[in-house]
Amino acid sequence: MIINMRTLNFKGIFIFMLLMAAGLSTTAQFGQPGQQSNNDLRSQKKFYVGGGLGFGMSSYSTSLMVAPIVGYRITPNFDVGARLNYTYNFYDEDYYGVKFSTHNVGIGAYTRYYLHFFSAIFAHAEYEALNYDKYVRLNANNEVEKERAWVSSFFVGGGYRQWVGNFAFVDITVLWNLLDSYDSPYSNPIFRIGVGVGL
């Protein structure tokens, strides 16, 4: 899930993240009596798949995002992976006076480094190439004109991963786009909540 800071305030998001992390931590502590054996099982899983879903609504638009990932654990503290990103946006008459939709499609590669002394915390770096509708306008015939463009993003930040059982996990990530520009559809900071399963 991606949360856009243009539509939600930071305080509410921060409180939500704390509550979610606390709830998952409590579930993991009481549901996993053999911590050492769980860590051994988790370390055997080299590949993982997962991703996130996002949904947003405003007074004039609706958006749906799907972002699958596939990752590979090179060492117990270092992952690499790939991420796809598809976002559908629908706008009603309150936006331009006509209904229309846009489609964003992106692909990215990322690395994660988990701290030695507290492996639930990680640093994250990711490059993404996104193809999206850069310009949307009405022409003289009151028809929507769209122009597609590619934009590059380089995200850096960190997050928290909580295992749920031996093979599934939930993570919360906070990222900043170092290539932020007028063309970028993102707004810093970017919050993601995702899930994954070890294979």
Side-chain angles (χ1 to χ4, degrees), residues 17-155:
M17 287 172 47
L18 286 178
L19 291 173
M20 183 143 182
L24 291 171
S25 179
T26 302
T27 301
Q29 288 173 7
F30 290 105
Q32 301 175 15
Q35 189 64 36
Q36 183 62 41
S37 62
N38 286 344
N39 287 335
D40 292 341
L41 287 171
R42 294 170 189 161
S43 66
Q44 296 172 11
K45 302 297 179 182
K46 294 294 186 182
F47 285 96
Y48 60 89
V49 295
L53 299 173
F55 179 78
M57 291 186 69
S58 70
S59 59
Y60 59 84
S61 69
T62 302
S63 63
L64 174 66
M65 186 272 297
V66 180
I69 63 167
V70 59
Y72 179 75
R73 180 176 298 129
I74 295 176
T75 71
N77 296 92
F78 186 67
D79 292 356
V80 295
R83 179 175 183 271
L84 298 176
N85 179 10
Y86 170 76
T87 306
Y88 169 80
N89 300 293
F90 175 77
Y91 299 89
D92 62 24
E93 291 93 340
D94 293 336
Y95 193 70
Y96 269 127
V98 294
K99 294 180 180 180
F100 68 97
S101 61
T102 63
H103 304 270
N104 301 339
V105 181
I107 186 168
Y110 68 87
T111 63
R112 281 185 177 177
Y113 179 78
Y114 297 87
L115 302 182
H116 283 286
F117 56 88
F118 189 46
S119 62
I121 301 294
F122 59 86
H124 183 105
E126 177 180 342
Y127 173 79
E128 180 191 68
L130 182 73
N131 184 262
Y132 78 113
D133 288 309
K134 180 178 178 181
Y135 297 115
V136 179
R137 58 187 172 269
L138 290 179
N139 61 21
N141 297 324
N142 205 34
E143 298 170 334
V144 173
E145 291 183 344
K146 296 180 282 189
E147 179 181 332
R148 297 197 67 81
W150 284 95
V151 63
S152 294
S153 299
F154 185 69
F155 305 110

Side-chain angles (χ1 to χ4, degrees), residues 3-15 191:
I3 301 171
N4 192 326
M5 293 306 293
R6 292 187 181 116
T7 57
L8 297 175
N9 63 51
F10 179 77
K11 186 176 178 182
I13 297 301
F14 184 72
I15 291 171
F191 292 85

